[in-house]
Amino acid sequence: MTFNLFVLPFILGLIFLVVVLVKKNRQWIRLMSTDDRKKLKGWYRSPKILLALKEIFFESLLHRKMFRRNPLLGYMHMSFAFGWFLLILFGNMESRIYSGLWVNPPYYPIFLKFFIHDKHVLPFEIFTVPGFFRFSMDLLLMFVLSGLVLAIIKRSRSKWFGLTKTTQHHFTDKVAITCLWLIFPMRLLAECMTAGAYGYGGGFITQHVGNVLAFLWPLNDKSIAYGFWWFYSLSLGIFFVTLPYSRYMHIPTEVMLIIYRNFGIKAGKEQSPIHEIEIQSCPKCGVCIDICQMNTAAGINDIQAVYFLQSVRNQQVIDGLVNRCLVCGRCEEVCPVGIHTDNQRISQRNSFVQLQKQDYSYLNHEADPQKAELIYFAGCMSHLTPAIPRAMTKILDAAGVNYLFLDEDRSVCCGRPMMLAGKLKQAEELIERNKKSITGSGAKTLVTSCPICYRVFREEYGLDIRVLHHTQYLLELIKKGKLPLQTYFRKVAYHDPCDLGRGSGILNEPRELVRKIADPVAVRDEAKDAPCCGGSLGLLNADRHERDLITKEALANYLDKDAELLVTACPLCKKTFAKHSPLEVVDVAELVAAAIPKVEKETGELVN
Amino acid sequence: MSKTAIIIGGGVAGMETAGQLNRLGIEVVLIEKQASLGGHLKNWDRLFPDRRESQEVFDYLEKGMNDGISLYLNATISDIREAGGKFTVILEDGRELSSDALVLATGYDLFDARKKEEYGFGIYDNVITSAELEEFFRNNKQKNLFEGVQSKRVGIVHCVGSRDEKVGNLYCSKLCCVTGVKQAIEIRELMPDAEIFCFYMDLRMFDRHFEEMYYEAQEKWGIRFIRGRLSEAAENPDHTILVKVEDTLTGLPLKMKVDLLILLVGFVPSPETKRLAGMLGLKEGDDRFLCPSDEHLLPNSTDHPGVFLAGTLKGPASIAATIVDARAAALQVAEYLVNGER
């Protein structure tokens, strides 16, 4: 007999789940932009699918990134995901030995020990094919159960898992988690009792535990075991039905996310189905809570990506939650699922923007574009730190560069502050205006002092000229021998600005540049782990005390070293740090300018 | 046996407290970190609102420094100890001074205008602070500020380092407004044909004769007041300064070229005050100035028995107000030493 009524909850739950998932996925693809849909064409023939499968194996099953963050948390997720996957895989292989068929009903391997009682295989018979599978299945069940034990510990001892605050659960989450936690203990009990009642057919654990149970509990007969098979099937079935409406939707969705990502579909600044897929993919591991400076410095622990994404999923987004974020990218950097948390914020902010009539008439007052080989664009922030553009003009003059200081007198904002506030349409207006004066100049290179401008120039302007941050350009000048350096500074600490380091991946050039003129000290969190200075334009509703706390915490990263100067590469970081720093704060361009000999204006000759 | 009080800080507040206590028959020790007494007072030329010479005030204070006061100049405190109601102040050179009461009169610092980098102080040649202008007045009586300059236009920027979240100082420094008006008139006296503009947020002419002085500046001296906070300043190739500001009364952005930009720098708590307050466990307000135990009723006492406060370590105050506060502090100290009340 290969059917029993108790398999129905499992079968019905599975059918329900598959139908919901297929419908959801078709809906996502239908709502995608035509560009994104095109990327998926012929996906089964593309080598990208192999890359996606590899990534699914490493991230969805092994949880490699989570392992790196916290081994215990990684093991917990891995034992569930990879352990369960292997149970299904091995279970299927084992079931084929007994059915002799290539295709079995899906419930058959899941409940195999109910249907098959093979007295010819002994619990420790590892080197025969049926013995190997029986042994492995017990071992794998223990593997999954070890994860369950950790999950239970995590509820009360989240600190051991690197989390100071574990995430809150909703009702469906609670039903789903209860069922999920019941599935494997029920399976264990059902298999043990069945093996105990028959006296054979179990593995090295199930058989022996079953025998003990049968001895201790004389009432243990096949009908009680049968009851546990029902419980097992019911917990599976209910879990499958609640899954699409609970946090566990992240299991199937993450797989789809990885596939789409490998085909180049990414969450941008405007809403798209991939945003929903990312939101559904969040496993609520909570890694983003501990990395967030709003939490660690200012004690604000209800706005982090995990809560924000949850509010979007539950359609309970409030602007207070959306706007309370530095958009510094630190959580995006550590997210094991690779959710674009910054763009998620921006796209949600965009939906909060009230459509107002804006006056852009000032943008039309434009002079004829001036011509130059190279454009220097200081940026609004640099005009508030005049030592930076002054240093740059001194350097450019000294190197004999023919340049145009595009925003020396008047300028239009690069658009990124608008963008961070979700005002994408308004930003577009500014971008168009600036693009005209940049392309109109005929320049082949654009150099800016501001990482905020730099990022938006690269990401949104679509310029077909070289766009460089001044750290890159200055390094180039030095390497070409155009800047004779005279002075060498002693110990300095270098701070990576968010939009330059994490945001644009410019990590090496500033370091190499600093090393040419100074002796950088090692700091605790640097490069992509560097803290935000707290001045972020992305934080739309913090009071000054909260910002001050963030700045002071960030400063601590650089101060308890023997550094004599705090060096950064962003006018906003410089200004923000200067408010609280006991050390002098300078831009790396200022150091370079101070390191080169003075230029005699009339003759262009270098003098000491 | 007569009682002793140690006064830390030899500026206006410290000198006046010392003089008063001494006249009340209390033995006074006055400790000053610098080589001479007077503090900031020695840097000012003439005082608002009547524009008397600051030297006159200093001369009065100095008269109080008679033989009953032991003076320690160039003295830095390394530690303060307390046992059985007695304080022992240990100087860096190892000398130990003891007393029955302590008065902190460590004053304030001027805001470091380089922190407001967008105004270009320390970067552009023709951006100076109000303190530097006072120094010029003191050292160059009757001398033209712009010898050799053709057009003479001066901008005076109010609230530099005060009422400014961006530099972390939310408080008003109170006295920059009237200083700006005073200095505008003084520049006009030196250069009758100069154009003078004050850029202000609002003018806080809170004390007696201040408002009249503001009217005089407009009516008699033709000083022009523009309501708007400077957003930034840039230096032209000829070293003149281009200021950008919104005239908030007309709602229009404004660009103006000036030959000289004067920044009215405000008060900030001095690091030395913070250090000593830390030693004694004194309370700091949100504005980082020290707090007395009761703003209304015990403005010179602290929660630490025997420790008193006098002058601008409690926040911005004029010289006149500082002298009044110092006398109140002296009375409070005397009462404590005689009756044991704080």
Side-chain angles (χ1 to χ4, degrees):
Chain A
M1 184 176 73
T2 54
F3 180 79
N4 190 295
L5 264 186
F6 82 84
V7 306
L8 279 179
F10 163 75
I11 284 290
L12 294 175
L14 186 64
I15 291 170
F16 178 82
L17 177 64
V18 170
V19 170
V20 171
L21 290 183
V22 169
K23 269 181 80 170
K24 267 235 142 95
N25 204 41
R26 284 178 58 170
Q27 195 186 2
W28 285 333
I29 293 178
R30 203 176 61 238
L31 291 173
M32 269 181 198
S33 67
T34 16
D35 275 353
D36 282 349
R37 259 205 309 275
K38 261 186 212 152
K39 291 176 187 161
L40 286 175
K41 235 179 175 180
W43 59 273
Y44 42 86
R45 282 181 275 114
S46 165
K48 287 175 187 162
I49 196 74
L50 294 176
L51 289 173
L53 287 174
K54 184 182 154 202
E55 195 182 334
I56 289 167
F57 179 76
F58 277 115
E59 302 308 336
S60 298
L61 295 179
L62 293 188
H63 289 84
R64 193 169 51 169
K65 280 188 197 147
M66 216 179 283
F67 246 105
R68 283 191 197 135
R69 204 77 222 161
N70 180 312
L72 209 53
L73 190 69
Y75 177 84
M76 188 195 95
H77 282 259
M78 182 191 76
S79 61
F80 265 102
F82 191 50
W84 199 351
F85 169 77
L86 288 180
L87 266 182
I88 294 167
L89 187 73
F90 278 45
N92 265 290
M93 295 200 271
E94 187 184 22
S95 69
R96 273 166 209 168
I97 301 169
Y98 295 101
S99 69
L101 298 169
W102 275 107
V103 180
N104 293 305
Y107 61 81
Y108 184 65
I110 307 287
F111 306 111
L112 186 72
K113 300 294 192 302
F114 176 83
F115 296 112
I116 298 294
H117 314 284
D118 185 355
K119 65 165 81 173
H120 306 297
V121 182
L122 300 171
F124 278 105
E125 193 185 306
I126 302 167
F127 299 106
T128 64
V129 174
F132 169 77
F133 278 110
R134 192 179 291 181
F135 181 83
S136 304
M137 289 301 280
D138 267 23
L139 198 64
L140 289 171
L141 188 56
M142 288 303 116
F143 180 42
V144 177
L145 285 168
S146 70
L148 177 61
V149 171
L150 287 179
I152 293 166
I153 295 172
K154 179 175 166 260
R155 298 300 307 165
S156 61
R157 295 271 187 279
S158 59
K159 269 217 169 86
W160 296 357
F161 296 79
L163 306 173
T164 51
K165 190 171 187 282
T166 194
T167 48
Q168 306 297 310
H169 292 275
H170 276 244
F171 177 71
T172 38
D173 285 338
K174 282 179 185 156
V175 175
I177 198 173
T178 309
C179 292
L180 178 65
W181 284 9
L182 280 174
I183 289 170
F184 299 99
M186 286 303 116
R187 177 176 177 145
L188 179 71
L189 283 171
E191 289 191 349
C192 286
M193 287 191 172
T194 305
Y198 281 87
Y200 52 79
F204 73 106
I205 300 249
T206 45
Q207 187 63 59
H208 292 113
V209 175
N211 290 345
V212 172
L213 285 177
F215 172 76
L216 290 175
W217 195 4
L219 282 177
N220 174 28
D221 61 19
K222 289 164 196 169
S223 61
I224 292 178
Y226 182 61
F228 280 98
W229 286 107
W230 264 100
F231 284 136
Y232 175 37
S233 174
L234 269 171
S235 42
L236 274 169
I238 299 172
F239 177 66
F240 288 157
V241 172
T242 48
L243 183 140
Y245 312 103
S246 76
R247 59 197 291 232
Y248 297 102
M249 183 61 181
H250 78 84
I251 301 168
T253 321
E254 191 191 350
V255 171
M256 294 316 295
L257 177 65
I258 291 173
I259 293 172
Y260 292 145
R261 190 164 56 216
N262 276 277
F263 282 86
I265 302 173
K266 284 197 173 108
K269 294 183 175 65
E270 276 175 82
Q271 290 287 331
S272 77
I274 202 78
H275 287 79
E276 196 199 327
I277 297 171
E278 281 196 352
I279 289 161
Q280 300 278 9
S281 298
C282 172
K284 295 198 187 178
C285 66
V287 165
C288 52
I289 301 173
D290 271 19
I291 195 78
C292 179
Q293 290 168 262
M294 299 279 282
N295 173 27
T296 55
I300 302 165
N301 58 7
D302 52 0
I303 51 89
Q304 280 71 21
V306 55
Y307 299 117
F308 158 67
L309 294 172
Q310 178 179 279
S311 78
V312 180
R313 211 186 67 191
N314 298 339
Q315 294 173 328
Q316 295 167 333
V317 199
I318 46 167
D319 55 358
L321 182 65
V322 176
N323 292 335
R324 237 161 131 67
C325 168
L326 291 158
V327 201
C328 65
R330 274 163 69 88
C331 53
E332 188 164 317
E333 197 56 41
V334 298
C335 177
V337 182
I339 296 173
H340 293 86
T341 51
D342 282 359
N343 278 351
Q344 289 280 357
R345 285 263 178 198
I346 291 169
S347 73
Q348 285 299 323
R349 286 177 178 185
N350 186 28
S351 59
F352 273 92
V353 171
Q354 303 289 320
L355 281 176
Q356 293 167 331
K357 249 211 149 9
Q358 305 267 348
D359 179 16
Y360 292 109
S361 56
Y362 68 95
L363 293 179
N364 299 326
H365 298 294
E366 49 185 303
D368 289 332
Q370 292 170 268
K371 301 279 174 193
E373 272 291 292
L374 181 140
I375 299 173
Y376 172 58
F377 189 95
C380 328
M381 280 298 156
S382 304
H383 283 293
L384 298 181
T385 52
I388 299 174
R390 212 179 165 80
M392 282 303 292
T393 51
K394 181 187 166 189
I395 295 165
L396 294 172
D397 287 340
V401 178
N402 170 27
Y403 69 98
L404 168 68
F405 191 161
L406 194 66
D407 61 337
E408 181 170 20
D409 185 27
R410 65 178 68 195
S411 68
V412 171
C413 167
C414 66
R416 184 153 168 84
M418 284 283 195
M419 211 155 241
L420 286 169
K423 300 184 175 178
L424 304 180
K425 284 236 158 60
Q426 289 88 333
E428 203 50 48
E429 298 272 353
L430 305 181
I431 288 172
E432 282 311 312
R433 165 65 175 76
N434 270 326
K435 255 173 92 169
K436 260 188 218 163
S437 54
I438 293 168
T439 46
S441 72
K444 295 193 176 65
T445 310
L446 168 62
V447 177
T448 178
S449 284
C450 178
I452 303 164
C453 302
Y454 173 70
R455 187 165 181 187
V456 75
F457 283 157
R458 276 210 343 187
E459 290 181 0
E460 311 289 339
Y461 274 55
L463 297 168
D464 52 3
I465 61 173
R466 291 179 78 207
V467 178
L468 298 174
H469 181 254
H470 70 223
T471 49
Q472 299 171 293
Y473 186 65
L474 294 180
L475 185 66
E476 244 181 59
L477 284 181
I478 292 172
K479 282 185 171 169
K480 283 183 189 161
K482 293 207 172 160
L483 281 180
L485 299 175
Q486 226 176 27
T487 318
Y488 190 79
F489 296 90
R490 280 178 302 161
K491 308 253 181 221
V492 303
Y494 175 69
H495 162 75
D496 293 270
C498 296
D499 275 334
L500 192 66
R502 251 189 316 280
S504 306
I506 308 298
L507 300 162
N508 297 328
E509 290 99 321
R511 285 193 161 66
E512 210 180 325
L513 185 61
V514 169
R515 274 198 300 273
K516 294 221 182 274
I517 45 175
D519 178 16
V521 301
V523 296
R524 192 183 65 239
D525 295 327
E526 59 181 342
K528 291 209 163 182
D529 292 331
C532 167
C533 67
S536 170
L537 301 172
L539 180 55
L540 303 181
N541 61 351
D543 68 33
R544 65 198 173 90
H545 296 293
E546 287 162 353
R547 276 197 194 269
D548 287 349
L549 288 169
I550 293 166
T551 305
K552 284 175 185 169
E553 190 198 55
L555 265 175
N557 189 45
Y558 305 100
L559 290 185
D560 57 341
K561 309 288 183 291
D562 45 0
E564 294 161 6
L565 273 178
L566 177 52
V567 179
T568 185
C570 169
L572 182 55
C573 294
K574 181 189 175 189
K575 222 168 159 31
T576 309
F577 277 140
K579 181 174 169 186
H580 295 291
S581 174
L583 287 185
E584 197 184 339
V585 190
V586 293
D587 189 281
V588 64
E590 290 174 70
L591 279 196
V592 174
I596 57 173
K598 283 199 183 81
V599 183
E600 196 67 59
K601 269 257 165 71
E602 281 74 29
T603 60
E605 275 174 32
L606 295 174
V607 292
N608 288 338
Chain B
M1 202 184 79
S2 84
K3 302 265 188 176
T4 314
I6 290 180
I7 291 152
I8 303 168
V12 172
M15 289 174 85
E16 180 61 11
T17 311
Q20 287 291 337
L21 278 172
N22 185 239
R23 267 166 259 166
L24 289 167
I26 287 156
E27 251 181 64
V28 176
V29 176
L30 180 58
I31 302 172
E32 167 57 41
K33 66 177 181 200
Q34 285 178 334
S36 62
L37 295 173
H40 291 285
L41 179 63
K42 298 284 276 179
N43 304 328
W44 310 147
D45 181 40
R46 280 170 290 174
L47 306 179
F48 54 77
D50 54 0
R51 296 178 43 220
R52 74 189 296 178
E53 295 284 338
S54 67
Q55 189 62 37
E56 292 175 27
V57 175
F58 181 76
D59 291 345
Y60 155 79
L61 291 170
E62 209 179 24
K63 256 185 243 159
M65 301 293 106
N66 58 34
D67 295 344
I69 298 173
S70 329
L71 203 55
Y72 290 82
L73 294 174
N74 290 317
T76 306
I77 292 163
S78 67
D79 199 10
I80 300 173
R81 289 190 200 135
E82 191 184 2
K86 281 254 181 198
F87 296 95
T88 308
V89 173
I90 301 155
L91 301 183
E92 257 180 2
D93 56 13
R95 283 181 291 182
E96 293 192 4
L97 310 167
S98 74
S99 74
D100 305 288
L102 269 187
V103 181
L104 259 62
T106 41
Y108 66 97
D109 277 0
L110 286 170
F111 173 74
D112 178 1
R114 284 176 304 176
K115 288 202 169 185
K116 199 73 188 157
E117 195 181 332
E118 55 267 48
Y119 295 167
F121 177 74
I123 301 170
Y124 309 145
D125 294 343
N126 289 318
V127 179
I128 65 169
T129 65
S130 44
E132 286 177 332
L133 184 67
E134 286 295 320
E135 199 187 330
F136 174 85
F137 287 147
R138 251 182 111 95
N139 301 332
N140 305 279
K141 298 257 177 196
Q142 314 306 322
K143 214 170 164 191
N144 196 322
L145 206 54
F146 302 99
E147 277 169 348
V149 176
Q150 289 297 315
S151 64
K152 292 156 188 170
R153 192 188 267 173
V154 181
I156 298 178
V157 188
H158 289 241
C159 297
V160 177
S162 309
R163 302 177 69 196
D164 189 350
E165 262 192 32
K166 289 180 184 165
V167 298
N169 299 339
L170 213 57
Y171 55 85
C172 167
S173 286
K174 294 204 297 198
L175 304 152
C176 331
C177 279
V178 63
T179 302
V181 172
K182 179 195 82 109
Q183 292 188 339
I185 294 172
E186 286 167 343
I187 293 170
R188 162 71 77 241
E189 285 176 340
L190 282 181
M191 295 177 295
D193 56 344
E195 282 184 281
I196 303 165
F197 295 89
C198 285
F199 301 100
Y200 70 100
M201 296 208 292
D202 42 29
L203 285 163
R204 297 190 164 180
M205 295 296 170
F206 66 98
D207 221 342
R208 203 173 168 201
H209 309 307
F210 288 9
E211 188 72 12
E212 289 85 335
M213 207 175 158
Y214 166 49
Y215 269 78
E216 186 192 318
Q218 293 182 85
E219 288 166 1
K220 184 174 168 193
W221 302 100
I223 315 290
R224 290 162 72 181
F225 289 84
I226 295 174
R227 197 186 79 179
R229 180 165 223 161
L230 222 66
S231 63
E232 58 185 82
E235 192 180 45
N236 293 316
D238 62 356
H239 298 276
T240 55
I241 305 294
L242 181 73
V243 298
K244 291 184 189 171
V245 62
E246 184 187 343
D247 182 341
T248 56
L249 291 179
T250 60
L252 290 173
L254 189 90
K255 272 188 187 178
M256 186 189 285
K257 199 175 93 169
V258 297
D259 298 288
L260 182 70
L261 192 65
I262 297 160
L263 308 180
L264 293 168
V265 286
F267 288 59
V268 293
S270 71
E272 186 61 5
T273 306
K274 193 181 175 71
R275 191 174 73 94
L276 297 176
M279 285 180 191
L280 295 161
L282 302 181
K283 210 165 54 191
E284 225 179 58
D286 282 346
D287 56 6
R288 310 183 313 282
F289 288 103
L290 296 192
C291 294
S293 45
D294 186 319
E295 296 273 355
H296 292 96
L297 305 174
L298 295 167
N300 301 98
S301 304
T302 66
D303 294 339
H304 192 141
V307 179
F308 299 85
L309 308 176
T312 50
L313 80 178
K314 291 183 292 178
S318 68
I319 287 164
T322 303
I323 288 175
V324 172
D325 188 63
R327 286 180 193 163
L331 199 60
Q332 200 78 50
V333 175
E335 209 176 326
Y336 169 78
L337 293 178
V338 174
N339 302 330
E341 281 172 21
R342 50 175 205 156

